[in-house]
Amino acid sequence: MNQRYGDVSFEDRMSHVDFRVAEQPHIVVDTDVCRSCTTKTCVHACPANLFVPTAEGGILFNYEQCFECGTCYLMCDGGNAISWSYPDGGQGVVFRHG
Amino acid sequence: MAEPLRPLVVALLRWTDARARIDPLSGEVETDPRGAGPSEADRCALEHALRIAEAAAGRCVAVTLAPEPAEELLRDALACGADAVLRVDVPSWDSRVPDSGATTARALAHAIRTELGEPSLVLTGDHSADRGTGSTPAFLAAELGCAQALGLVELSYADGELLALRRLDRGRRERLAVPLPAVCSVEPAGLRLRRAALPSTLAARTATIPVVTGSVAAEPVTAHAARPFRPRAKELPPPPEADPRLRLLRLTGAHEHREPPRVVVTDDPAEAADELLEYLRGKGYL
Amino acid sequence: MRDRAGPASSAVTVAEPERPQFDAIVVGAGPAGSAAALELARAGHSVALLERGPFPGSKNVYGGVVYGRILDELIPGWYDEMPVQRWVTRRQTMLLDGERSMTVDFRSQSWGRAPYNGATTYRAEFDDWLAGHAQKAGAVLVPSTVATRLLRTERGRIVGVRTDRPDGDLTAKVVIACDGVNSFLAKQAGLFPGDQAAHTTLGVKETLALPARTIDERFGVSGHEGVDIEMLGCTQGIPGGGFLYTNSDTLSVGLVLGLQGLAKSGKRPEEVLAELKRHPSIQPLVRGAELVEYSAHLIPEGGYDTMPQLVGDGLLVAGDAAAMCLAAGIWLEGVNFAMGSGMYAGRAASKALSSGDLGALREYRGLLESSFVLADHKKLRKAPELVLSERVQQRYPGLVCDLVELMFTVENPKPKPGVRKLLRASAKRNGVKMRELARDALTGLRSFG
């Protein structure tokens, strides 16, 4: 197998996408709920890799490079730990080749 | 302001695609009108213009020099509260005018004068996101024959006086009182463009955008080739030492006595100039 | 904090507006919304078309082909003006298993001539083009505006939407929600049946740049001809599938992954995609291509049985918001169903507005049932379940590859075995009971036949 054209790094992958970052986050995670969550599905299911588990069992979340797909809130096992919304109008991801 | 009756505040917005793609092989630049818009600095300039026009009970007009797809940007400006807009048309295939600060300034000054009247204040972003050098506001000040203050981070207008703040080196700030009329360029700092209300957005969606042709009298200068300056390589004789190790040491410059760099710190410009001259004289440059 | 749309948001109760600002508000300028706005504007009604992105299409991702027949009705002569990347003249269905693959490859040059069959496009261009038609017909496009809440009277009738702009309430006689797969508006109206995660899939896609000539050579096409490949068995046990299609100078390769399967697998979506790109059947196609965009989007794949109620009091739901994506194995369509449902929603709304009787909105469902939109969905209602079943996903690709491999592996001097014997052997090797195979074949026949 030819590994030379293997995969790009995740940062590189995301650098090709146009994100217009809003001032206000459109995702807010209640990490108190996350501490009792055993699966933490959002961490690996999020295609933009926005959720990072912390050593204390909580979740560190980002919103800047979000695809606004909705996977995280649909997959959230901890009840409603993730309050999710769309970014303000005109902000957020802009696909050119979608 | 210069005229007490409805002073004219113009916000110049440059229409650029900040995410232009460059073909690595051909060097061709691909832009997408859908993603294009004003730079963050231009958006700041518009917000300043709106605030100053409000404070001075003036008229705020947004002007752009761009082809037709840029109307979207002017509609946004209208929605945000600009009293009027104006598009100075350039053909989308011809980048000579937008690429040259001097010709852009000439076309804009002509359009503003004939369509809108003498401006009291012209505001724009300090650099455009693409090829702009930031020279347009300076040229524009020359064209309009008014004062200029460039690269501002703060602007405030009160009682007919325009005060500005500019960033200097080493974290210093320069406070300026700007006489009017003036051309000011602002950095994307301090404030953000307001979000347009829904009723004004709806009104702006169907508004007609006035257009004038950006006539340019003279052909702008076109650069046919640009190369970086490359001084010719100079041959140096090898160090005279017989021992290769010593020769190497000489070449690397290790263990040699050197004068430490001199840092001059003074608040007095005259003193600083004297210091500088003495230094140059000591080095044999003068 | 500003009002926001979200899974937990609810409608706002307002007084009945005396004079609604518009006849209709269409939320979302995707294919469904633009088609609805186009129909309404053509019938002379005032329409506001809200879009949360800076331009139509900026938030949208799809999996490959726009089928144009519905456009014949919507925009006659569409194929001369639509922003097309390539016309699909070659269609492949590929079963992958380990290092093997089995492909059914069909080509028809007539698909590359008017009236054409399907085309690949970029959604930023396509959706913008379609919304442009709605605008030309008189609809008012309002970009960069999120519809956060429904406005509802005390009697429960929907009379408008609240947007995230200052002074942002907008009223109308009819609201058409084309606000995509997450459709918070349909949820606020209480039209959604519930467990969405169970029948929603995540699509991830890479757009890869290659010179047009290289694409022509690798895929055996020329000029404006293009290829669409649908794949099965490439998702490492996660229910779903893959796709690869050609644009003029890029390839789009992506995966569709069932959300619950993805959660269980513990794998990252882009890693599964990277694995697909390393498959010996795919790797030579994408070799050396440079990534230009990575994207992700949810897809409502449940089909007919998971659709929300399509009509509320003063509200219609169309497109992905109404789960109009058809994911039935050999047929994978979405944009045409969105346009179709949007068009009929626009027609029903227009009729109700003209007659002054909003009860006529209920005709929307009838219009859909008598057209391909719900007819196809109804007929193929069992298909999504079958396609995403464990057997189709994990055992049949292996079974087919085994069978074909056994058939074409020459074992001289042993004589060739009969196909029936090979089938039995392959079924056994992949843990498929002949009875299950027969039952699935029957279900398939009933759905697809």
Side-chain angles (χ1 to χ4, degrees):
Chain A
M1 254 190 284
N2 192 339
Q3 289 286 342
R4 235 182 89 208
Y5 301 107
D7 229 26
V8 294
S9 75
F10 198 81
E11 287 72 27
D12 209 7
R13 173 184 291 279
M14 297 306 277
S15 73
H16 291 95
V17 192
D18 183 1
F19 292 102
R20 301 182 183 176
V21 180
E23 274 176 292
Q24 297 277 331
H26 63 280
I27 304 173
V28 179
V29 180
D30 183 353
T31 48
D32 288 340
V33 181
C34 299
R35 269 184 215 114
S36 61
C37 173
T38 51
T39 51
K40 295 201 174 40
T41 309
C42 57
V43 173
H44 70 261
C46 170
N49 206 359
L50 295 178
F51 302 91
V52 184
T54 62
E56 295 90 62
I59 291 281
L60 197 67
F61 67 98
N62 304 284
Y63 73 95
E64 291 86 351
Q65 297 198 318
C66 175
F67 289 126
E68 300 154 38
C69 66
T71 303
C72 55
Y73 84 86
L74 282 178
M75 286 286 84
C76 180
D77 288 324
N80 294 318
I82 301 176
S83 29
W84 195 91
S85 173
Y86 295 126
D88 290 346
Q91 309 291 327
V93 69
V94 177
F95 293 123
R96 307 286 174 92
H97 303 279
Chain B
M1 296 234 151
E3 288 157 299
L5 282 172
R6 298 283 279 164
L8 176 66
V9 182
V10 177
L12 294 180
L13 307 173
R14 188 176 159 103
W15 185 69
T16 56
D17 181 2
R19 301 270 316 185
R21 246 179 60 79
I22 301 158
D23 189 311
L25 291 181
S26 67
E28 235 170 85
V29 182
E30 281 172 43
T31 55
D32 180 357
R34 281 176 208 92
S39 66
E40 204 48 53
D42 282 353
R43 292 162 65 84
C44 269
L46 177 59
E47 180 62 36
H48 278 301
L50 290 168
R51 287 185 188 188
I52 291 169
E54 262 164 47
R59 218 159 76 89
C60 173
V61 185
V63 181
T64 187
L65 178 124
E68 209 200 327
E71 283 195 354
E72 208 58 24
L73 158 163
L74 294 177
R75 285 188 199 284
D76 287 348
L78 269 181
C80 285
D83 297 290
V85 293
L86 177 68
R87 182 168 69 84
V88 184
D89 190 41
V90 284
S92 54
W93 49 266
D94 188 357
S95 61
R96 283 174 312 174
V97 177
D99 272 0
S100 150
T103 12
T104 304
R106 207 172 305 143
L108 283 171
H110 179 73
I112 292 170
R113 273 204 173 118
T114 50
E115 298 296 316
L116 306 168
E118 282 299 320
S120 304
L121 178 62
V122 179
L123 282 160
T124 183
D126 60 340
H127 288 269
S128 63
D130 59 353
R131 285 164 282 191
T133 56
S135 61
T136 308
F139 279 119
L140 194 65
E143 287 289 332
L144 294 170
C146 58
Q148 54 167 316
L150 308 182
L152 308 174
V153 290
E154 261 177 42
L155 258 177
S156 59
Y157 177 85
D159 305 326
E161 222 184 341
L162 185 66
L163 294 176
L165 192 70
R166 178 155 58 183
R167 231 194 280 265
L168 295 181
D169 287 351
R170 307 175 57 148
R172 292 184 187 173
R173 293 287 185 275
E174 183 176 40
R175 210 163 270 291
L176 305 165
V178 186
L180 296 172
V183 177
C184 297
S185 73
V186 298
E187 284 187 19
L191 76 179
R192 277 197 176 215
L193 182 59
R194 62 191 69 180
R195 186 139 165 79
L198 187 66
S200 57
T201 309
L202 284 171
R205 296 308 302 170
T206 44
T208 38
I209 306 289
V211 184
V212 291
T213 315
S215 56
V216 186
E219 274 287 287
V221 177
T222 317
H224 288 287
R227 269 181 305 175
F229 171 66
R230 291 214 178 85
R232 193 172 296 196
K234 205 156 99 185
E235 266 183 58
L236 292 171
E241 278 81 356
D243 184 2
R245 189 182 146 271
L246 289 177
R247 274 211 301 277
L248 202 65
L249 275 176
R250 277 297 290 276
L251 279 173
T252 57
H255 302 319
E256 271 179 32
H257 176 72
R258 228 172 321 168
E259 206 181 318
R262 209 158 121 213
V263 185
V264 182
V265 184
T266 169
D267 280 334
D268 184 17
E271 206 180 304
D274 284 344
E275 283 261 15
L276 195 62
L277 285 173
E278 200 184 321
Y279 176 78
L280 291 173
R281 236 176 254 126
K283 286 280 170 190
Y285 287 105
L286 292 178
Chain C
M1 199 168 124
R2 232 175 259 146
D3 247 345
R4 285 181 180 277
S9 60
S10 57
V12 197
T13 308
V14 293
E16 175 108 30
E18 275 173 33
R19 287 192 53 206
Q21 290 158 277
F22 284 93
D23 288 335
I25 297 169
V26 180
V27 181
S34 292
L38 180 60
E39 280 294 311
L40 279 159
R42 275 188 187 152
H45 301 292
S46 64
V47 193
L49 179 58
L50 304 185
E51 167 58 43
R52 69 184 182 94
F55 56 86
S58 56
K59 303 284 182 187
N60 300 351
V61 183
Y62 82 136
V65 186
V66 174
Y67 294 98
R69 276 298 70 73
I70 184 68
L71 279 168
D72 288 342
E73 203 173 336
L74 214 52
I75 301 167
W78 55 277
Y79 37 76
D80 294 326
E81 46 166 306
M82 177 181 140
V84 167
Q85 289 293 320
R86 283 173 188 260
W87 296 103
V88 175
T89 57
R90 199 173 165 200
R91 171 71 203 259
Q92 301 185 354
T93 301
M94 198 184 267
L95 297 175
L96 296 97
D97 179 68
E99 287 187 317
R100 305 174 300 173
S101 70
M102 213 289 289
T103 308
V104 179
D105 180 0
F106 177 74
R107 180 196 290 267
S108 166
Q109 290 309 102
S110 77
W111 285 351
R113 292 189 288 269
Y116 301 99
N117 180 46
T120 61
T121 180
Y122 294 137
R123 288 294 294 278
E125 292 173 6
F126 176 79
D127 291 18
D128 203 38
W129 167 75
L130 197 61
H133 270 277
Q135 269 181 289
K136 260 181 254 158
V140 181
L141 175 72
V142 193
S144 302
T145 307
V146 187
T148 53
R149 311 245 220 143
L150 286 173
L151 302 181
R152 190 153 49 174
T153 63
E154 263 173 34
R155 290 189 7 249
R157 205 164 72 75
I158 284 143
V159 290
V161 293
R162 176 164 289 179
T163 68
D164 70 335
R165 286 189 182 271
D167 261 343
D169 283 6
L170 195 62
T171 53
K173 294 172 191 158
V174 179
V175 175
I176 304 183
C178 308
D179 51 341
V181 57
N182 284 304
S183 190
F184 298 126
L185 295 190
K187 282 172 193 163
Q188 285 175 16
L191 302 179
F192 245 91
D195 192 14
Q196 202 185 357
H199 38 78
T200 303
T201 56
L202 171 67
V204 289
K205 179 166 93 171
E206 282 181 11
T207 307
L208 305 161
L210 267 186
R213 224 174 41 188
T214 312
I215 293 179
D216 288 352
E217 281 165 10
R218 285 189 192 176
F219 291 87
V221 287
S222 52
H224 291 294
E225 300 165 6
V227 182
D228 173 41
I229 308 173
E230 311 286 357
M231 290 166 251
L232 202 60
C234 53
T235 47
Q236 301 180 28
I238 304 168
F243 57 87
L244 194 164
Y245 60 89
T246 56
N247 303 307
S248 61
D249 54 3
T250 60
L251 304 175
S252 296
V253 55
L255 282 177
V256 171
L257 304 166
L259 278 188
Q260 290 180 334
L262 177 65
K264 247 181 263 158
S265 74
K267 294 188 173 98
R268 291 205 46 79
E270 78 277 358
E271 283 164 7
V272 186
L273 182 55
E275 197 54 47
L276 167 66
K277 282 168 68 188
R278 281 196 288 267
H279 190 279
S281 294
I282 305 301
Q283 198 264 347
L285 301 177
V286 299
R287 181 168 43 207
E290 184 210 357
L291 181 69
V292 289
E293 193 169 83
Y294 172 55
S295 48
H297 210 280
L298 289 184
I299 311 162
E301 284 212 349
Y304 191 78
D305 293 326
T306 62
M307 282 181 189
Q309 276 170 262
L310 301 175
V311 184
D313 194 359
L315 179 77
L316 297 177
V317 189
D320 271 7
M324 287 291 171
C325 245
L326 182 73
I330 49 174
W331 291 297
L332 294 163
E333 301 168 26
V335 176
N336 52 338
F337 278 88
M339 288 191 287
S341 59
M343 184 179 85
Y344 290 119
R347 273 187 201 168
S350 156
K351 202 173 160 199
L353 286 167
S354 302
S355 68
D357 170 26
L358 288 183
L361 288 178
R362 255 172 255 124
E363 284 176 30
Y364 172 44
R365 199 178 171 95
L367 285 173
L368 291 180
E369 267 164 3
S370 57
S371 75
F372 74 101
V373 182
L374 275 188
D376 285 359
H377 267 294
K378 204 167 181 176
K379 193 162 122 192
L380 294 166
R381 65 197 294 174
K382 294 268 177 262
E385 200 187 325
L386 175 69
V387 170
L388 294 178
S389 73
E390 190 261 344
R391 286 186 300 283
V392 174
Q393 285 289 325
Q394 299 190 30
R395 298 194 222 164
Y396 291 171
L399 185 152
V400 172
C401 286
D402 273 347
L403 177 66
V404 178
E405 187 166 14
L406 288 172
M407 268 168 75
F408 293 121
T409 307
V410 178
E411 299 255 26
N412 298 159
K414 271 205 259 175
K416 287 192 197 311
V419 175
R420 216 177 317 161
K421 192 177 157 202
L422 293 182
L423 178 64
R424 225 171 279 133
S426 325
K428 197 171 172 199
R429 204 187 286 180
N430 289 281
V432 178
K433 294 203 181 79
M434 290 312 274
R435 208 184 310 138
E436 288 172 337
L437 188 62
R439 199 173 54 218
D440 285 341
L442 199 64
T443 317
L445 256 177
R446 274 200 197 125
S447 303
F448 297 107

